Structure formats: C-alpha cells, structure tokens
Amino acid sequence: MSIRPVPFLVGEYYHLYNRGNDKRTIFLDNHDFMRFMSLLYVCNTKDSFNMRSFLSKGLAFVDIFSTKRNDTLLDIGAYCFMPNHFHILVHEKVDRGISMFMQKVSTAYSMYFNKRYERSGSLFEGKFKASHIDSEPYLNWIFTYIHLNPVKLIDSMWKKDGIKNLEQVNKFIQEYSHSSYHDYFIGNRPAGATLNKTVFPEHFGEMNDLQSLTEQFQAG
C-alpha cells in the first residue's frame, strides 16, 4: 500500500493540485468548469448530494451555492482551474477532511466527465498531489501563485521575463472566471460561498490588483 508523503494535520494549510492523465484537457468548456466549481461546494460535507437530481429540477449551477450544508470537511481559501489541471488552497478542519473531500470531488467529476464525453478509464494523473504550507511567506506565495496561474495562457514566459503588457494581462485575469480571484478582488457572486476566508490571513484581500499579486509572487 502506497503512503502519501504529506500527512494531513488538523489546523494546517495545504496546496492541493492534480492534472489530467497524460496531461489531457479535463475542462473542455464552461459547463465543465462550473461542474467542478460546484463540486467544491457540495462535496465539502460528510453528507451525500445527488447533482443529477438537483439539476434535473431545472435549477442552475448558481443555485447550488445557496444549498444548505452541515459541517464542512475543510476550509477553502483559494482555487484556480486551468484547462488540464487545478489548484486548491485549503485548511484541514477535521481529521481526514482533505482525503474525504478530494475522493468525493475526484470521483464525482470523473464519472461526470466520462459519461459526458463517452470515455472510460482514469481521468486524473493518479492521486492528487499536496504540499504542506509551513510558513506565512509560503502561504502568501501560494495564494498569489494560484491566482496568477491563468497568466501563462496568454504569456507563457511571464515568470521568466516578467509581465510585458500589464493592462492586457490585468484585463484577462479579471475576466477569467474559473478562479477565486473574482471573489477576492472584483465582487460578490454565488460561487463565493465555496470559500471560508475567515481562517486565512486578512491581508489576502489587500493584494487587490495584479501588480500587488505579482510583487508578492516575485518576493517568494
């Protein structure tokens, strides 16, 4: 039996991530992105949730985020979904909370994806990966790293050469709806219910523009 090298401890912060098997695209359109985003909300509880039954009633994805949940398994502080991978910043709230949450999300999304696209087999590249965040500077850096991830979609060399067109990149990242950037720096939306900002540093919300995020990222 394989043992995950990073133990999950209650009260600690972690960066969770995974990508498609063979680097395949796992989000093909906005519906896929919204499905995964809604799973972050509904899977964050010990209770079961029938997504198909919910949507069959004619309700929209945005209605999911107002669904009442019992005690959550973990706290989510940030996330970003890219075409072939995802990043999630979390705080372990209960024993085995992260493991239970990720198993539910990965299984539910894989089943949905395989059915929608008439495929079979593993969707993700093995078990999800995790890194333990053991200092505030590292926590700050991960927060900026997650929210700046989409920049490489329009400027693949920005980490090495810096951002050349700040106005263009700023416009792009503000319009990229598949991350929690919107929930911190633009305005309220239903999907914001996925986050629990209270257990994360208050200054996260103060890095309220692209330049601040970039400076924090480079400082790390």
Side-chain angles (χ1 to χ4, degrees), residues 13-32:
Y13 298 97
Y14 298 88
H15 173 209
L16 314 179
Y17 52 100
N18 206 350
R19 65 182 179 183
N21 199 18
D22 295 325
K23 300 182 181 179
R24 68 161 296 132
T25 300
I26 56 176
F27 305 113
L28 277 71
D29 60 17
N30 188 62
H31 189 277
D32 291 344

Side-chain angles (χ1 to χ4, degrees), residues 1 19 28 72 90 105 108 111 119 127 129 133 159 165 168 171 180 182 200 207 214:
M1 179 183 295
R19 65 182 179 183
L28 277 71
T72 51
V90 304
V105 170
M111 291 177 63
R119 68 176 299 275
K127 293 181 178 179
K129 314 303 186 294
I133 302 173
K159 292 180 184 178
N165 190 329
Q168 178 196 28
K171 181 176 185 296
S180 51
H182 192 292
F200 293 87
M207 292 183 278
T214 305

Side-chain angles (χ1 to χ4, degrees), residues 127-147:
K127 293 181 178 179
F128 70 95
K129 314 303 186 294
S131 60
H132 177 217
I133 302 173
D134 56 1
S135 69
E136 185 166 319
Y138 187 27
L139 181 62
N140 293 338
W141 187 84
I142 288 294
F143 179 81
T144 61
Y145 171 79
I146 288 175
H147 287 132

Side-chain angles (χ1 to χ4, degrees), residues 53 173 185 204:
S53 174
I173 203 167
F185 309 127
F204 276 4

Side-chain angles (χ1 to χ4, degrees), residues 9 109 128 151 184:
L9 305 174
Y109 188 74
F128 70 95
V151 176
Y184 276 95

Side-chain angles (χ1 to χ4, degrees), residues 77-123:
Y79 61 83
C80 180
F81 314 141
M82 300 288 282
N84 68 351
H85 67 280
F86 64 81
H87 298 275
I88 312 172
L89 171 62
V90 304
H91 171 259
E92 177 83 305
K93 186 176 179 181
V94 299
D95 187 43
R96 297 193 67 252
I98 290 174
S99 298
M100 289 188 285
F101 170 77
M102 288 305 299
Q103 181 179 21
K104 292 173 69 175
V105 170
S106 299
T107 300
Y109 188 74
S110 295
M111 291 177 63
Y112 150 80
F113 189 93
N114 284 354
K115 181 174 182 178
R116 185 182 188 196
Y117 297 106
E118 299 180 340
R119 68 176 299 275
S120 60
S122 176
L123 176 62

